[in-house]
């Protein structure tokens, strides 16, 4: 398959890129800096240009999404809008603009996260964004068939515990390799409207 991988230079993106490439897929790496194509998916015009440059693809995979972390009492309306633009609207637009540009039975795989179901302090914007992405996936799946859309929803990565573990007290971590397998399941499988919680 020809796969467009958004956020390819990040921690998760690199792991997904390695796994998909090793499985014989042609992976076009997309990132704000570096990769085969440069794109900030929060800008709809850049997303459109990315699709034009990529040409027809079989799957679109997203591992990117930015949200601010602050206590609720310190959050501003702009902080929540930033989270919505950075993780929700950007990925919704990947699907919206991608439907006419991917294969008839192509797929989209988006990224959410554990905070949709297990909130933490300072994570209200992330919880909001993750929940919105998951709701969108379930709704879009019934409209875009036979194209498919799923989301991968991991907890904190084992490889990132040193940096982020303190924010996820008592939560089981997940290895990047296992998260990458969830992307494989979404891309190569037949399910749609699924949230792969890890």
């Amino acid at each position: 398959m020809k796969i467009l991988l958004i956020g390819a230079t990040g921690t998760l993106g690199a792991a997904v890129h390695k796994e998909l490439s090793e499985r014989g897929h042609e992976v076009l790496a997309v990132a704000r800096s570096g990769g085969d194509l440069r794109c900030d998916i929060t800008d709809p015009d850049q997303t459109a240009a990315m699709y034009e440059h990529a040409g027809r693809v079989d799957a679109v995979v997203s591992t990117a999404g930015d949200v601010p972390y602050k206590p609720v009492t310190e959050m501003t309306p702009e902080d929540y809008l930033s989270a919505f633009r950075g993780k929700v609207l950007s990925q919704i637009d990947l699907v919206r603009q991608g439907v006419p540009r991917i294969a008839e039975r192509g797929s989209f795989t988006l990224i959410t996260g554990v905070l949709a179901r297990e909130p933490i302090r300072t994570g209200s914007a992330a919880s909001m964004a993750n929940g919105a992405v998951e709701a969108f996936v379930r709704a879009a799946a019934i409209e875009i068939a036979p194209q498919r859309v799923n989301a991968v929803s991991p907890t904190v990565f084992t490889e990132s515990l040193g940096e982020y573990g303190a924010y996820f007290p008592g939560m089981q971590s997940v290895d990047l390799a296992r998260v990458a397998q969830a992307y494989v399941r979404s891309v190569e499988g037949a399910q749609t409207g699924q949230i792969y919680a890890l």
Side-chain angles (χ1 to χ4, degrees), residues 134 137-138 141 149-152 185-186 191-197:
E134 293 183 9
V137 163
R138 287 187 287 267
V149 59
N150 298 302
V152 176
R185 182 179 177 189
S186 178
Q191 292 183 309
T192 191
Q194 301 300 303
I195 311 301
Y196 299 118

Side-chain angles (χ1 to χ4, degrees), residues 92-137:
I92 288 174
D93 211 42
L94 281 176
V95 176
R96 184 186 67 81
Q97 292 198 46
V99 163
R101 293 179 163 100
I102 72 167
E104 182 183 1
R105 294 188 174 275
S107 70
F108 300 90
T109 307
L110 309 183
I111 182 71
T112 69
V114 69
L115 301 188
R117 56 193 182 276
E118 297 285 347
I120 61 169
R121 288 186 182 94
T122 75
S124 64
S127 292
M128 172 205 74
N130 290 341
V133 171
E134 293 183 9
F136 169 77
V137 163

Side-chain angles (χ1 to χ4, degrees), residues 75-198:
M75 292 287 285
T76 65
E78 182 51 43
D79 287 326
Y80 286 109
L81 285 172
S82 172
F84 186 76
R85 285 189 211 100
K87 193 161 191 181
V88 184
L89 193 56
S90 58
Q91 294 193 95
I92 288 174
D93 211 42
L94 281 176
V95 176
R96 184 186 67 81
Q97 292 198 46
V99 163
R101 293 179 163 100
I102 72 167
E104 182 183 1
R105 294 188 174 275
S107 70
F108 300 90
T109 307
L110 309 183
I111 182 71
T112 69
V114 69
L115 301 188
R117 56 193 182 276
E118 297 285 347
I120 61 169
R121 288 186 182 94
T122 75
S124 64
S127 292
M128 172 205 74
N130 290 341
V133 171
E134 293 183 9
F136 169 77
V137 163
R138 287 187 287 267
I142 65 174
E143 293 190 37
I144 68 169
Q147 293 172 335
R148 301 180 299 106
V149 59
N150 298 302
V152 176
S153 182
T155 185
V156 62
F157 306 138
T158 304
E159 292 83 352
S160 301
L161 282 174
E163 189 173 357
Y164 299 110
Y167 297 100
F168 298 86
M171 288 194 200
Q172 187 72 40
S173 64
V174 62
D175 295 346
L176 281 167
R178 186 166 168 232
V179 182
Q181 287 302 314
Y183 278 91
V184 170
R185 182 179 177 189
S186 178
V187 169
E188 296 183 8
Q191 292 183 309
T192 191
Q194 301 300 303
I195 311 301
Y196 299 118
L198 304 163

